[in-house]
Amino acid sequence: MLHEPRFWTAVAFFLFFILFGRKIWAPLATALDARAERIRADLDEAARLRREAEQMLEDATRERETALAEARALVEHSLAEASRIAEDAKREAEAVAARREQMARDRIAASERSAVREVRQVAIDVAVQATRDALALALPAETGQQIVDRSIADLPSALSHRAA
């Protein structure tokens, strides 16, 4: 057994760990502990970042829903406003059409009144001319002169009766 290389390898291995084990084990354990601590810190950081990302996602979702609600409200308001404007325009157009129709009726009525006045004036002129012609044929010239003189004399009293 003392001549066997395996035995001496095992003895050397145990002596190496007994003599240098503490010196090697302390830095090795420190390095492993530091690595474990870094991994824990990285995991904690990852968890914190995940919570922040989830919070940001919730905030973004809430903001998107708020923006969508505002957009819907804006669209509904715009549609209502457009409907109101269309109704106002329709009422305005109807009012303009009614005013123009009334103006046309007023012009027609004025034209009718003017035509009636012209017809009356023509009828009066024709009647006066016919009366003159009839009187000129039926009455002698002296009688016509007397009628004109009497009419001129009665003119102030006739005008005062008409004015009253």
Side-chain angles (χ1 to χ4, degrees):
M1 187 167 179
L2 291 178
H3 294 296
E4 223 167 289
R6 284 188 194 167
F7 171 73
W8 288 112
T9 305
V11 169
F13 184 74
F14 285 118
L15 283 175
F16 178 79
F17 272 108
I18 290 174
L19 294 175
F20 296 108
R22 281 190 172 170
K23 290 183 181 180
I24 292 175
W25 189 252
L28 185 62
T30 305
L32 289 174
D33 288 344
R35 180 172 167 87
E37 189 60 36
R38 271 195 323 258
I39 290 171
R40 262 190 235 103
D42 287 346
L43 288 174
D44 291 344
E45 178 70 14
R48 184 186 64 77
L49 290 173
R50 180 178 179 164
R51 285 190 301 271
E52 286 180 10
E54 287 173 351
Q55 183 64 40
M56 289 171 63
L57 178 63
E58 288 176 13
D59 292 344
T61 302
R62 222 176 299 117
E63 288 176 6
R64 182 181 62 87
E65 289 172 1
T66 302
L68 284 174
E70 288 175 2
R72 279 190 211 106
L74 184 62
V75 166
E76 289 173 6
H77 175 72
S78 296
L79 290 175
E81 186 70 18
S83 175
R84 185 189 63 77
I85 289 172
E87 286 296 320
D88 289 348
K90 181 181 176 184
R91 280 193 296 273
E92 179 81 19
E94 288 172 354
V96 166
R99 284 193 301 267
R100 288 184 179 170
E101 182 180 346
Q102 186 59 42
M103 288 171 49
R105 286 183 181 167
D106 291 345
R107 282 190 215 137
I108 290 170
S111 296
E112 286 176 354
R113 287 190 299 271
S114 175
V116 168
R117 272 194 304 259
E118 288 178 17
V119 167
R120 283 185 183 159
Q121 188 61 42
V122 169
I124 290 170
D125 290 345
V126 168
V128 167
Q129 187 60 40
T131 304
R132 280 188 192 146
D133 292 343
L135 285 177
L137 290 174
L139 293 176
E142 291 177 8
T143 310
Q145 189 62 38
Q146 290 172 354
I147 291 174
V148 170
D149 290 340
R150 194 175 344 134
S151 293
I152 290 173
D154 291 340
L155 189 62
S157 66
L159 287 176
S160 67
H161 285 311
R162 265 200 174 177

mmCIF file of all heavy atoms in Angstrom, residues 120-162:
data_model
loop_
_atom_site.group_PDB
_atom_site.id
_atom_site.type_symbol
_atom_site.label_atom_id
_atom_site.label_comp_id
_atom_site.label_asym_id
_atom_site.label_seq_id
_atom_site.Cartn_x
_atom_site.Cartn_y
_atom_site.Cartn_z
ATOM 1 N N ARG A 120 -108.839 100.729 -63.798
ATOM 2 C CA ARG A 120 -109.821 101.742 -63.352
ATOM 3 C C ARG A 120 -109.575 103.081 -64.044
ATOM 4 O O ARG A 120 -110.525 103.754 -64.476
ATOM 5 C CB ARG A 120 -109.747 101.927 -61.844
ATOM 6 C CG ARG A 120 -110.415 100.827 -61.082
ATOM 7 C CD ARG A 120 -110.417 101.125 -59.592
ATOM 8 N NE ARG A 120 -111.000 100.019 -58.856
ATOM 9 C CZ ARG A 120 -110.815 99.780 -57.593
ATOM 10 N NH1 ARG A 120 -110.022 100.581 -56.904
ATOM 11 N NH2 ARG A 120 -111.394 98.776 -57.007
ATOM 12 N N GLN A 121 -108.294 103.465 -64.110
ATOM 13 C CA GLN A 121 -107.980 104.752 -64.744
ATOM 14 C C GLN A 121 -108.381 104.752 -66.207
ATOM 15 O O GLN A 121 -108.947 105.719 -66.709
ATOM 16 C CB GLN A 121 -106.481 105.057 -64.589
ATOM 17 C CG GLN A 121 -106.093 106.443 -65.047
ATOM 18 C CD GLN A 121 -106.799 107.539 -64.255
ATOM 19 O OE1 GLN A 121 -106.924 107.454 -63.036
ATOM 20 N NE2 GLN A 121 -107.301 108.544 -64.938
ATOM 21 N N VAL A 122 -108.088 103.627 -66.890
ATOM 22 C CA VAL A 122 -108.481 103.521 -68.304
ATOM 23 C C VAL A 122 -109.995 103.555 -68.417
ATOM 24 O O VAL A 122 -110.557 104.225 -69.301
ATOM 25 C CB VAL A 122 -107.889 102.240 -68.936
ATOM 26 C CG1 VAL A 122 -108.501 101.976 -70.307
ATOM 27 C CG2 VAL A 122 -106.372 102.346 -69.045
ATOM 28 N N ALA A 123 -110.700 102.846 -67.511
ATOM 29 C CA ALA A 123 -112.170 102.839 -67.539
ATOM 30 C C ALA A 123 -112.711 104.246 -67.290
ATOM 31 O O ALA A 123 -113.671 104.676 -67.947
ATOM 32 C CB ALA A 123 -112.713 101.863 -66.494
ATOM 33 N N ILE A 124 -112.089 104.948 -66.348
ATOM 34 C CA ILE A 124 -112.538 106.328 -66.068
ATOM 35 C C ILE A 124 -112.300 107.205 -67.286
ATOM 36 O O ILE A 124 -113.178 108.002 -67.688
ATOM 37 C CB ILE A 124 -111.813 106.883 -64.824
ATOM 38 C CG1 ILE A 124 -112.314 106.178 -63.573
ATOM 39 C CG2 ILE A 124 -111.990 108.379 -64.705
ATOM 40 C CD1 ILE A 124 -111.498 106.483 -62.334
ATOM 41 N N ASP A 125 -111.088 107.066 -67.882
ATOM 42 C CA ASP A 125 -110.785 107.888 -69.060
ATOM 43 C C ASP A 125 -111.748 107.585 -70.203
ATOM 44 O O ASP A 125 -112.242 108.504 -70.887
ATOM 45 C CB ASP A 125 -109.338 107.632 -69.523
ATOM 46 C CG ASP A 125 -108.316 108.195 -68.550
ATOM 47 O OD1 ASP A 125 -108.696 109.014 -67.686
ATOM 48 O OD2 ASP A 125 -107.118 107.783 -68.630
ATOM 49 N N VAL A 126 -112.050 106.297 -70.410
ATOM 50 C CA VAL A 126 -112.990 105.912 -71.473
ATOM 51 C C VAL A 126 -114.387 106.453 -71.154
ATOM 52 O O VAL A 126 -115.081 106.975 -72.035
ATOM 53 C CB VAL A 126 -113.005 104.372 -71.644
ATOM 54 C CG1 VAL A 126 -114.162 103.924 -72.523
ATOM 55 C CG2 VAL A 126 -111.673 103.895 -72.233
ATOM 56 N N ALA A 127 -114.811 106.345 -69.874
ATOM 57 C CA ALA A 127 -116.144 106.832 -69.492
ATOM 58 C C ALA A 127 -116.233 108.343 -69.669
ATOM 59 O O ALA A 127 -117.247 108.868 -70.166
ATOM 60 C CB ALA A 127 -116.452 106.433 -68.040
ATOM 61 N N VAL A 128 -115.188 109.055 -69.277
ATOM 62 C CA VAL A 128 -115.198 110.513 -69.421
ATOM 63 C C VAL A 128 -115.245 110.896 -70.899
ATOM 64 O O VAL A 128 -116.021 111.789 -71.303
ATOM 65 C CB VAL A 128 -113.964 111.134 -68.717
ATOM 66 C CG1 VAL A 128 -113.774 112.593 -69.107
ATOM 67 C CG2 VAL A 128 -114.086 111.001 -67.212
ATOM 68 N N GLN A 129 -114.427 110.209 -71.682
ATOM 69 C CA GLN A 129 -114.426 110.520 -73.124
ATOM 70 C C GLN A 129 -115.778 110.187 -73.745
ATOM 71 O O GLN A 129 -116.296 110.954 -74.568
ATOM 72 C CB GLN A 129 -113.303 109.731 -73.824
ATOM 73 C CG GLN A 129 -113.112 110.114 -75.279
ATOM 74 C CD GLN A 129 -112.744 111.584 -75.444
ATOM 75 O OE1 GLN A 129 -111.961 112.138 -74.674
ATOM 76 N NE2 GLN A 129 -113.321 112.237 -76.415
ATOM 77 N N ALA A 130 -116.372 109.048 -73.342
ATOM 78 C CA ALA A 130 -117.679 108.672 -73.880
ATOM 79 C C ALA A 130 -118.732 109.687 -73.456
ATOM 80 O O ALA A 130 -119.623 110.052 -74.235
ATOM 81 C CB ALA A 130 -118.052 107.266 -73.405
ATOM 82 N N THR A 131 -118.642 110.138 -72.201
ATOM 83 C CA THR A 131 -119.597 111.140 -71.723
ATOM 84 C C THR A 131 -119.439 112.439 -72.508
ATOM 85 O O THR A 131 -120.440 113.072 -72.897
ATOM 86 C CB THR A 131 -119.398 111.397 -70.212
ATOM 87 O OG1 THR A 131 -119.500 110.164 -69.517
ATOM 88 C CG2 THR A 131 -120.407 112.358 -69.675
ATOM 89 N N ARG A 132 -118.224 112.857 -72.739
ATOM 90 C CA ARG A 132 -117.985 114.075 -73.512
ATOM 91 C C ARG A 132 -118.583 113.945 -74.915
ATOM 92 O O ARG A 132 -119.239 114.864 -75.414
ATOM 93 C CB ARG A 132 -116.485 114.352 -73.635
ATOM 94 C CG ARG A 132 -115.898 114.995 -72.429
ATOM 95 C CD ARG A 132 -114.460 115.420 -72.703
ATOM 96 N NE ARG A 132 -113.850 115.780 -71.447
ATOM 97 C CZ ARG A 132 -112.601 115.608 -71.124
ATOM 98 N NH1 ARG A 132 -111.774 115.056 -71.995
ATOM 99 N NH2 ARG A 132 -112.152 115.983 -69.971
ATOM 100 N N ASP A 133 -118.273 112.779 -75.526
ATOM 101 C CA ASP A 133 -118.783 112.579 -76.880
ATOM 102 C C ASP A 133 -120.315 112.569 -76.893
ATOM 103 O O ASP A 133 -120.948 113.174 -77.771
ATOM 104 C CB ASP A 133 -118.256 111.260 -77.472
ATOM 105 C CG ASP A 133 -116.750 111.303 -77.738
ATOM 106 O OD1 ASP A 133 -116.182 112.423 -77.771
ATOM 107 O OD2 ASP A 133 -116.135 110.219 -77.907
ATOM 108 N N ALA A 134 -120.912 111.905 -75.910
ATOM 109 C CA ALA A 134 -122.370 111.825 -75.857
ATOM 110 C C ALA A 134 -122.966 113.193 -75.594
ATOM 111 O O ALA A 134 -123.979 113.581 -76.185
ATOM 112 C CB ALA A 134 -122.810 110.835 -74.772
ATOM 113 N N LEU A 135 -122.374 113.962 -74.701
ATOM 114 C CA LEU A 135 -122.895 115.297 -74.395
ATOM 115 C C LEU A 135 -122.700 116.232 -75.581
ATOM 116 O O LEU A 135 -123.557 117.087 -75.853
ATOM 117 C CB LEU A 135 -122.200 115.866 -73.149
ATOM 118 C CG LEU A 135 -122.625 115.275 -71.806
ATOM 119 C CD1 LEU A 135 -121.797 115.882 -70.683
ATOM 120 C CD2 LEU A 135 -124.090 115.491 -71.534
ATOM 121 N N ALA A 136 -121.589 116.088 -76.261
ATOM 122 C CA ALA A 136 -121.337 116.963 -77.395
ATOM 123 C C ALA A 136 -122.358 116.713 -78.506
ATOM 124 O O ALA A 136 -122.785 117.638 -79.191
ATOM 125 C CB ALA A 136 -119.929 116.738 -77.932
ATOM 126 N N LEU A 137 -122.786 115.482 -78.648
ATOM 127 C CA LEU A 137 -123.762 115.170 -79.667
ATOM 128 C C LEU A 137 -125.179 115.539 -79.219
ATOM 129 O O LEU A 137 -126.005 115.980 -80.021
ATOM 130 C CB LEU A 137 -123.723 113.665 -80.003
ATOM 131 C CG LEU A 137 -122.485 113.160 -80.746
ATOM 132 C CD1 LEU A 137 -122.541 111.646 -80.877
ATOM 133 C CD2 LEU A 137 -122.406 113.789 -82.117
ATOM 134 N N ALA A 138 -125.481 115.380 -77.941
ATOM 135 C CA ALA A 138 -126.838 115.557 -77.456
ATOM 136 C C ALA A 138 -127.152 116.998 -77.078
ATOM 137 O O ALA A 138 -128.298 117.432 -77.193
ATOM 138 C CB ALA A 138 -127.086 114.654 -76.254
ATOM 139 N N LEU A 139 -126.202 117.748 -76.628
ATOM 140 C CA LEU A 139 -126.487 119.098 -76.147
ATOM 141 C C LEU A 139 -125.959 120.148 -77.128
ATOM 142 O O LEU A 139 -124.887 119.974 -77.715
ATOM 143 C CB LEU A 139 -125.809 119.325 -74.798
ATOM 144 C CG LEU A 139 -126.314 118.510 -73.624
ATOM 145 C CD1 LEU A 139 -125.464 118.803 -72.416
ATOM 146 C CD2 LEU A 139 -127.757 118.823 -73.324
ATOM 147 N N PRO A 140 -126.673 121.211 -77.238
ATOM 148 C CA PRO A 140 -126.144 122.294 -78.056
ATOM 149 C C PRO A 140 -124.993 122.979 -77.323
ATOM 150 O O PRO A 140 -124.822 122.811 -76.123
ATOM 151 C CB PRO A 140 -127.311 123.250 -78.237
ATOM 152 C CG PRO A 140 -128.353 122.842 -77.266
ATOM 153 C CD PRO A 140 -128.054 121.488 -76.810
ATOM 154 N N ALA A 141 -124.188 123.760 -77.999
ATOM 155 C CA ALA A 141 -122.987 124.374 -77.458
ATOM 156 C C ALA A 141 -123.302 125.321 -76.327
ATOM 157 O O ALA A 141 -122.547 125.403 -75.350
ATOM 158 C CB ALA A 141 -122.240 125.099 -78.554
ATOM 159 N N GLU A 142 -124.425 126.072 -76.347
ATOM 160 C CA GLU A 142 -124.764 127.024 -75.286
ATOM 161 C C GLU A 142 -125.104 126.292 -73.999
ATOM 162 O O GLU A 142 -124.701 126.694 -72.910
ATOM 163 C CB GLU A 142 -125.967 127.881 -75.701
ATOM 164 C CG GLU A 142 -125.660 128.816 -76.803
ATOM 165 C CD GLU A 142 -126.904 129.584 -77.229
ATOM 166 O OE1 GLU A 142 -127.939 129.472 -76.561
ATOM 167 O OE2 GLU A 142 -126.781 130.267 -78.220
ATOM 168 N N THR A 143 -125.797 125.211 -74.070
ATOM 169 C CA THR A 143 -126.178 124.445 -72.889
ATOM 170 C C THR A 143 -124.935 123.826 -72.268
ATOM 171 O O THR A 143 -124.794 123.783 -71.042
ATOM 172 C CB THR A 143 -127.183 123.339 -73.257
ATOM 173 O OG1 THR A 143 -128.218 123.895 -74.016
ATOM 174 C CG2 THR A 143 -127.734 122.668 -72.048
ATOM 175 N N GLY A 144 -124.050 123.369 -73.067
ATOM 176 C CA GLY A 144 -122.793 122.781 -72.569
ATOM 177 C C GLY A 144 -121.994 123.816 -71.807
ATOM 178 O O GLY A 144 -121.396 123.510 -70.785
ATOM 179 N N GLN A 145 -121.992 125.061 -72.303
ATOM 180 C CA GLN A 145 -121.250 126.131 -71.628
ATOM 181 C C GLN A 145 -121.884 126.430 -70.293
ATOM 182 O O GLN A 145 -121.184 126.644 -69.306
ATOM 183 C CB GLN A 145 -121.224 127.387 -72.509
ATOM 184 C CG GLN A 145 -120.309 128.468 -71.997
ATOM 185 C CD GLN A 145 -118.853 128.021 -71.938
ATOM 186 O OE1 GLN A 145 -118.378 127.300 -72.803
ATOM 187 N NE2 GLN A 145 -118.165 128.426 -70.903
ATOM 188 N N GLN A 146 -123.194 126.416 -70.214
ATOM 189 C CA GLN A 146 -123.891 126.671 -68.945
ATOM 190 C C GLN A 146 -123.584 125.546 -67.939
ATOM 191 O O GLN A 146 -123.408 125.814 -66.741
ATOM 192 C CB GLN A 146 -125.403 126.766 -69.190
ATOM 193 C CG GLN A 146 -125.819 128.005 -69.937
ATOM 194 C CD GLN A 146 -127.293 127.951 -70.319
ATOM 195 O OE1 GLN A 146 -127.957 126.932 -70.115
ATOM 196 N NE2 GLN A 146 -127.780 129.044 -70.882
ATOM 197 N N ILE A 147 -123.549 124.324 -68.404
ATOM 198 C CA ILE A 147 -123.264 123.186 -67.505
ATOM 199 C C ILE A 147 -121.846 123.308 -66.963
ATOM 200 O O ILE A 147 -121.608 123.101 -65.771
ATOM 201 C CB ILE A 147 -123.459 121.848 -68.244
ATOM 202 C CG1 ILE A 147 -124.936 121.627 -68.551
ATOM 203 C CG2 ILE A 147 -122.910 120.675 -67.426
ATOM 204 C CD1 ILE A 147 -125.214 120.414 -69.403
ATOM 205 N N VAL A 148 -120.912 123.699 -67.815
ATOM 206 C CA VAL A 148 -119.520 123.847 -67.371
ATOM 207 C C VAL A 148 -119.438 124.977 -66.364
ATOM 208 O O VAL A 148 -118.772 124.844 -65.324
ATOM 209 C CB VAL A 148 -118.603 124.098 -68.582
ATOM 210 C CG1 VAL A 148 -117.206 124.506 -68.131
ATOM 211 C CG2 VAL A 148 -118.508 122.868 -69.451
ATOM 212 N N ASP A 149 -120.148 126.109 -66.627
ATOM 213 C CA ASP A 149 -120.110 127.228 -65.675
ATOM 214 C C ASP A 149 -120.702 126.816 -64.332
ATOM 215 O O ASP A 149 -120.172 127.168 -63.275
ATOM 216 C CB ASP A 149 -120.868 128.438 -66.264
ATOM 217 C CG ASP A 149 -120.111 129.069 -67.436
ATOM 218 O OD1 ASP A 149 -118.874 128.819 -67.518
ATOM 219 O OD2 ASP A 149 -120.744 129.768 -68.237
ATOM 220 N N ARG A 150 -121.814 126.118 -64.359
ATOM 221 C CA ARG A 150 -122.464 125.685 -63.121
ATOM 222 C C ARG A 150 -121.561 124.694 -62.376
ATOM 223 O O ARG A 150 -121.462 124.740 -61.160
ATOM 224 C CB ARG A 150 -123.802 125.034 -63.433
ATOM 225 C CG ARG A 150 -124.629 124.901 -62.166
ATOM 226 C CD ARG A 150 -126.035 124.374 -62.357
ATOM 227 N NE ARG A 150 -126.544 124.396 -63.695
ATOM 228 C CZ ARG A 150 -127.187 123.398 -64.287
ATOM 229 N NH1 ARG A 150 -127.422 122.285 -63.633
ATOM 230 N NH2 ARG A 150 -127.625 123.509 -65.505
ATOM 231 N N SER A 151 -120.893 123.790 -63.099
ATOM 232 C CA SER A 151 -120.008 122.805 -62.474
ATOM 233 C C SER A 151 -118.824 123.493 -61.813
ATOM 234 O O SER A 151 -118.414 123.133 -60.699
ATOM 235 C CB SER A 151 -119.483 121.815 -63.504
ATOM 236 O OG SER A 151 -120.532 121.023 -63.983
ATOM 237 N N ILE A 152 -118.305 124.511 -62.471
ATOM 238 C CA ILE A 152 -117.173 125.250 -61.890
ATOM 239 C C ILE A 152 -117.633 125.976 -60.635
ATOM 240 O O ILE A 152 -116.917 126.018 -59.631
ATOM 241 C CB ILE A 152 -116.563 126.207 -62.920
ATOM 242 C CG1 ILE A 152 -115.838 125.391 -64.002
ATOM 243 C CG2 ILE A 152 -115.583 127.165 -62.269
ATOM 244 C CD1 ILE A 152 -115.329 126.200 -65.166
ATOM 245 N N ALA A 153 -118.818 126.516 -60.650
ATOM 246 C CA ALA A 153 -119.355 127.219 -59.487
ATOM 247 C C ALA A 153 -119.616 126.234 -58.344
ATOM 248 O O ALA A 153 -119.414 126.576 -57.165
ATOM 249 C CB ALA A 153 -120.630 127.958 -59.858
ATOM 250 N N ASP A 154 -120.096 125.031 -58.643
ATOM 251 C CA ASP A 154 -120.392 124.020 -57.605
ATOM 252 C C ASP A 154 -119.136 123.263 -57.135
ATOM 253 O O ASP A 154 -119.216 122.508 -56.161
ATOM 254 C CB ASP A 154 -121.408 123.005 -58.138
ATOM 255 C CG ASP A 154 -122.786 123.612 -58.331
ATOM 256 O OD1 ASP A 154 -123.035 124.666 -57.718
ATOM 257 O OD2 ASP A 154 -123.588 123.011 -59.079
ATOM 258 N N LEU A 155 -118.024 123.468 -57.796
ATOM 259 C CA LEU A 155 -116.807 122.725 -57.474
ATOM 260 C C LEU A 155 -116.331 122.910 -56.027
ATOM 261 O O LEU A 155 -116.035 121.917 -55.346
ATOM 262 C CB LEU A 155 -115.685 123.099 -58.459
ATOM 263 C CG LEU A 155 -114.415 122.271 -58.397
ATOM 264 C CD1 LEU A 155 -114.712 120.807 -58.720
ATOM 265 C CD2 LEU A 155 -113.392 122.812 -59.356
ATOM 266 N N PRO A 156 -116.303 124.114 -55.464
ATOM 267 C CA PRO A 156 -115.835 124.232 -54.078
ATOM 268 C C PRO A 156 -116.732 123.481 -53.095
ATOM 269 O O PRO A 156 -116.230 122.837 -52.159
ATOM 270 C CB PRO A 156 -115.874 125.731 -53.818
ATOM 271 C CG PRO A 156 -115.773 126.373 -55.133
ATOM 272 C CD PRO A 156 -116.449 125.426 -56.083
ATOM 273 N N SER A 157 -118.019 123.513 -53.265
ATOM 274 C CA SER A 157 -118.909 122.795 -52.329
ATOM 275 C C SER A 157 -118.784 121.294 -52.502
ATOM 276 O O SER A 157 -118.808 120.530 -51.520
ATOM 277 C CB SER A 157 -120.351 123.252 -52.492
ATOM 278 O OG SER A 157 -120.826 122.870 -53.765
ATOM 279 N N ALA A 158 -118.588 120.809 -53.727
ATOM 280 C CA ALA A 158 -118.427 119.375 -53.977
ATOM 281 C C ALA A 158 -117.112 118.879 -53.354
ATOM 282 O O ALA A 158 -117.047 117.786 -52.773
ATOM 283 C CB ALA A 158 -118.460 119.075 -55.458
ATOM 284 N N LEU A 159 -116.084 119.683 -53.457
ATOM 285 C CA LEU A 159 -114.781 119.279 -52.874
ATOM 286 C C LEU A 159 -114.844 119.279 -51.352
ATOM 287 O O LEU A 159 -114.253 118.432 -50.705
ATOM 288 C CB LEU A 159 -113.673 120.209 -53.360
ATOM 289 C CG LEU A 159 -113.254 120.034 -54.812
ATOM 290 C CD1 LEU A 159 -112.219 121.067 -55.208
ATOM 291 C CD2 LEU A 159 -112.732 118.641 -55.062
ATOM 292 N N SER A 160 -115.587 120.221 -50.780
ATOM 293 C CA SER A 160 -115.689 120.249 -49.305
ATOM 294 C C SER A 160 -116.492 119.048 -48.801
ATOM 295 O O SER A 160 -116.197 118.505 -47.740
ATOM 296 C CB SER A 160 -116.289 121.554 -48.845
ATOM 297 O OG SER A 160 -117.631 121.658 -49.258
ATOM 298 N N HIS A 161 -117.522 118.582 -49.553
ATOM 299 C CA HIS A 161 -118.290 117.391 -49.154
ATOM 300 C C HIS A 161 -117.416 116.136 -49.235
ATOM 301 O O HIS A 161 -117.519 115.252 -48.384
ATOM 302 C CB HIS A 161 -119.535 117.208 -50.053
ATOM 303 C CG HIS A 161 -120.624 118.179 -49.742
ATOM 304 N ND1 HIS A 161 -121.080 118.405 -48.477
ATOM 305 C CD2 HIS A 161 -121.367 118.977 -50.550
ATOM 306 C CE1 HIS A 161 -122.056 119.304 -48.520
ATOM 307 N NE2 HIS A 161 -122.244 119.672 -49.777
ATOM 308 N N ARG A 162 -116.589 116.074 -50.238
ATOM 309 C CA ARG A 162 -115.723 114.883 -50.402
ATOM 310 C C ARG A 162 -114.635 114.854 -49.336
ATOM 311 O O ARG A 162 -114.268 113.780 -48.866
ATOM 312 C CB ARG A 162 -115.028 114.940 -51.764
ATOM 313 C CG ARG A 162 -115.783 114.175 -52.770
ATOM 314 C CD ARG A 162 -114.865 113.852 -53.889
ATOM 315 N NE ARG A 162 -115.612 112.971 -54.774
ATOM 316 C CZ ARG A 162 -115.178 112.523 -55.893
ATOM 317 N NH1 ARG A 162 -114.004 112.862 -56.290
ATOM 318 N NH2 ARG A 162 -115.906 111.735 -56.614
#
